[in-house]
Amino acid sequence: MAEKRDYYEVLGVSKGASDDELKKAYRREAKKYHPDLHPGDKEAEAKFKEVNEAYEVLSDSEKKARYDQFGHAGVDPNFGAGGGGGFGGFDDFGDIFSNIFGGGFGGFGGGARRNGPVRGADIRQVIDITFEEAAFGCKKNISVNKQENCPTCKGTGAKDGTAPVTCKRCGGQGQIRQQTRTPLGYMTNITTCPDCNGAGKVVTDPCRECRGTGKVRKTRTIEIDIPQGINHGQTIQISGHGEPGSRGGASGDLLITIRIKPHAIYRREEFDVFIEIPITFVQAALGATIRVPTLDGVVEYDIPEGTQTGTVFKLKNKGIPHIRGKNRGDEYVTVEVEVPKNISLKQKEILKEFEALSKGKENYKKQKTWFDKMKDFLK
């Protein structure tokens, strides 16, 4: 007979581990090797028993003390083997397995019925919309390919005039229970019935259209409302338009994720929009009325004389409408002064004359300040 491993090694904890650390380690290892997750795997079953045995000893303060002093010889190797008393001393086994598996294993808080209603799966799609459509909302038609209840058998899977019958193997429970004797008592494993796949009923004369599945795949066109102000990456949920449920379960949902196409001139941040507009040197120096595109159309805006490159102007309430409510974001306009290229000789002469008239630097306050700082630096 193979030599037993150290119990602390089995649970992967140190000798000074606390009760909470032992419990967490047990949950982790029990979930890893439980027979329901490894059907037919003898090695996993053996490790699961080993984990149970280790925790049974280390979770009991008296047995743990004897084990720490004398090792395996200090604890009764036949503890719990007699009778069908189960896992004696494991007061919190039901809680542990309920937390790990949702109460799905018999002998540890009972097994949940698996032939009840099952909700249908959600369907996820991505659609592309324009910047303006996202701003003001729109309607879109999308094609959804999904399963539907077979119209011939109305979802039963049985041929017209027949009906599914109770599964003989599980007696309509949808589960197979197997009781195994372990060194610590009896353990009940619950698995899904392989004949009816947990439904509790089987189709003996299948419908020809759906071949007994009760489902057929169809493509449907659905109109969806995209609300104003929706942003890139947000998801719209349309209840009940996903895959159909099983055994009377509700249908899943249709989840539409929005992808907004980049705009040629706008950039968006939340509900505000940003735009850059080039202006000439003369417009910046003398001031001018410029035409500014907005989501509502082109508007005129007066920029003051002496406007510097990079100056930002705000157009209030010209941004994106809020997804809920009547408020809107703002539009921020950044002006960029464009320096002319390929100027003529006449233009050069005029600019030189202008420069000569600006020697006092009164027109260039930033330049004057910079030169004053340079003088101080050189000193």
Side-chain angles (χ1 to χ4, degrees), residues 21-94:
E21 289 173 330
L22 286 170
K23 184 179 290 188
K24 289 179 181 178
Y26 171 72
R27 289 175 177 174
R28 181 186 66 244
E29 297 301 312
K31 183 176 181 180
K32 185 188 301 183
Y33 297 116
H34 197 282
D36 264 16
L37 303 180
H38 303 278
D41 189 336
K42 296 298 182 182
E43 183 179 354
E45 183 179 352
K47 288 185 177 179
F48 181 69
K49 293 177 181 178
E50 186 181 44
V51 168
N52 287 333
E53 182 179 335
Y55 184 70
E56 192 276 335
V57 171
L58 298 182
S59 62
D60 185 303
S61 58
E62 292 184 6
K63 294 175 184 176
K64 180 176 181 294
R66 293 200 302 270
Y67 177 75
D68 288 345
Q69 186 174 4
F70 302 108
H72 291 292
V75 292
D76 183 1
N78 296 315
F79 175 80
F87 292 86
F90 279 55
D91 295 333
D92 56 351
F93 252 43

Side-chain angles (χ1 to χ4, degrees), residues 24 123 141 163 200 221 225 234 248 254 264 313 329 352:
K24 289 179 181 178
I123 296 176
N141 289 324
T221 299
D225 289 316
Q234 289 186 315
L254 176 61
F313 301 102
K352 288 178 180 179

Side-chain angles (χ1 to χ4, degrees), residues 198-267:
K201 293 182 179 294
V202 293
V203 176
T204 57
D205 197 358
C207 169
R208 292 183 178 179
E209 183 169 347
C210 65
R211 298 181 181 179
T213 64
K215 302 288 189 295
V216 291
R217 188 160 290 279
K218 298 285 186 181
T219 298
R220 302 293 185 187
T221 299
I222 300 176
E223 183 181 73
I224 61 172
D225 289 316
I226 299 177
Q228 67 177 20
I230 197 165
N231 212 339
H232 185 85
Q234 289 186 315
T235 298
I236 299 171
Q237 178 180 343
I238 305 175
S239 299
H241 282 272
E243 298 287 2
S246 300
R247 302 190 288 277
S251 295
D253 299 331
L254 176 61
L255 304 175
I256 306 295
T257 299
I258 300 300
R259 189 165 55 193
I260 302 175
K261 299 175 184 177
H263 198 276
I265 61 175
Y266 288 124
R267 177 174 60 84

Side-chain angles (χ1 to χ4, degrees), residues 44-295:
E45 183 179 352
K47 288 185 177 179
F48 181 69
K49 293 177 181 178
E50 186 181 44
V51 168
N52 287 333
E53 182 179 335
Y55 184 70
E56 192 276 335
V57 171
L58 298 182
S59 62
D60 185 303
S61 58
E62 292 184 6
K63 294 175 184 176
K64 180 176 181 294
R66 293 200 302 270
Y67 177 75
D68 288 345
Q69 186 174 4
F70 302 108
H72 291 292
V75 292
D76 183 1
N78 296 315
F79 175 80
F87 292 86
F90 279 55
D91 295 333
D92 56 351
F93 252 43
D95 292 338
I96 290 173
F97 275 84
S98 177
N99 290 337
I100 298 175
F101 300 108
F105 297 109
F108 306 114
R113 289 178 60 86
R114 300 185 184 184
N115 59 347
V118 179
R119 181 182 181 275
D122 293 333
I123 296 176
R124 297 179 179 273
Q125 286 194 198
V126 178
I127 63 171
D128 295 316
I129 61 175
T130 66
F131 195 93
E132 288 80 5
E133 286 174 332
F136 297 112
C138 62
K139 293 182 182 292
K140 289 286 184 180
N141 289 324
I142 62 170
S143 294
V144 179
N145 185 268
K146 65 174 184 175
Q147 288 186 327
E148 295 182 355
N149 286 332
C150 175
T152 301
C153 66
K154 297 181 174 55
T156 66
K159 186 178 179 180
D160 190 27
T162 68
V165 298
T166 301
C167 176
K168 293 181 179 179
R169 184 165 185 175
C170 66
Q173 295 299 308
Q175 302 170 339
I176 301 295
R177 293 172 177 264
Q178 292 180 322
Q179 196 172 55
T180 305
R181 185 172 183 175
T182 75
L184 303 178
Y186 287 93
M187 179 181 69
T188 300
N189 292 331
I190 302 175
T191 57
T192 301
C193 176
D195 289 0
C196 66
N197 294 320
K201 293 182 179 294
V202 293
V203 176
T204 57
D205 197 358
C207 169
R208 292 183 178 179
E209 183 169 347
C210 65
R211 298 181 181 179
T213 64
K215 302 288 189 295
V216 291
R217 188 160 290 279
K218 298 285 186 181
T219 298
R220 302 293 185 187
T221 299
I222 300 176
E223 183 181 73
I224 61 172
D225 289 316
I226 299 177
Q228 67 177 20
I230 197 165
N231 212 339
H232 185 85
Q234 289 186 315
T235 298
I236 299 171
Q237 178 180 343
I238 305 175
S239 299
H241 282 272
E243 298 287 2
S246 300
R247 302 190 288 277
S251 295
D253 299 331
L254 176 61
L255 304 175
I256 306 295
T257 299
I258 300 300
R259 189 165 55 193
I260 302 175
K261 299 175 184 177
H263 198 276
I265 61 175
Y266 288 124
R267 177 174 60 84
R268 174 178 176 175
E269 291 184 11
E270 295 297 332
F271 298 105
D272 296 327
V273 296
F274 297 80
I275 187 173
E276 295 180 359
I277 298 180
I279 60 174
T280 68
F281 167 77
V282 174
Q283 287 176 315
L286 302 181
T289 299
I290 61 173
R291 290 168 59 81
V292 180
T294 73
L295 293 173

Side-chain angles (χ1 to χ4, degrees), residues 281-282 340-355:
F281 167 77
V282 174
K341 295 181 179 180
N342 302 319
I343 58 179
S344 66
L345 181 61
K346 179 67 173 177
Q347 289 171 321
K348 290 180 181 179
E349 291 176 352
I350 294 174
L351 288 174
K352 288 178 180 179
E353 183 179 352
F354 174 81
E355 182 69 10

